[in-house]
Amino acid sequence: MHVIVAGVDRQEIGQAIESEGHDIAFVDIANRPALEEAGIHDAAVFVLTEVEQATSISVAKDLNPDLKVVVYASQSLPDFARRQADLVVDPDLIDAETVAEELDS
């Protein structure tokens, strides 16, 4: 499965997902060109680690409507983005390895 991790990955969710055998692409700033270069059209999951980039959820879903969106951050997600996220997880409550294991389900 192709997964894109957007933002600074302080909790190393990308490494946990990769260790589950998934193909990972990392983008620092999740704008349209970066998402397209990272393979958003073929991605199954978009993981956002910085809620400051919440508008990237709309961009990602516009490019790939079937995308599963996971927000892995301790800050609150704005309401407009919360409706488009499939899963919002606080890293202080659930570790990266557990989230990575659950991506296939």
Side-chain angles (χ1 to χ4, degrees):
M1 171 170 50
H2 184 57
V3 179
I4 296 175
V5 176
V8 177
D9 189 12
R10 290 180 185 90
Q11 309 300 331
E12 298 183 348
I13 185 102
Q15 182 179 7
I17 294 168
E18 194 169 40
S19 69
E20 287 293 315
H22 302 296
D23 175 45
I24 300 290
F26 292 93
V27 295
D28 292 330
I29 305 297
N31 57 26
R32 184 182 186 109
L35 290 173
E36 288 179 331
E37 187 174 319
I40 193 71
H41 297 287
D42 299 320
V45 180
F46 175 68
V47 178
L48 181 64
T49 63
E50 296 178 346
V51 296
E52 296 83 5
Q53 296 191 52
T55 56
S56 67
I57 295 172
S58 297
V59 174
K61 291 290 273 188
D62 183 50
L63 294 169
N64 183 345
D66 297 325
L67 195 63
K68 179 189 271 186
V69 175
V70 176
V71 178
Y72 193 65
S74 56
Q75 302 89 355
S76 294
L77 190 64
D79 286 337
F80 75 89
R82 190 175 299 133
R83 290 185 288 266
Q84 293 184 304
D86 296 293
L87 181 63
V88 179
V89 180
D90 186 334
D92 294 330
L93 301 176
I94 301 176
D95 63 33
E97 291 77 18
T98 302
V99 175
E101 290 171 6
E102 294 299 317
L103 286 182
D104 286 328
S105 51

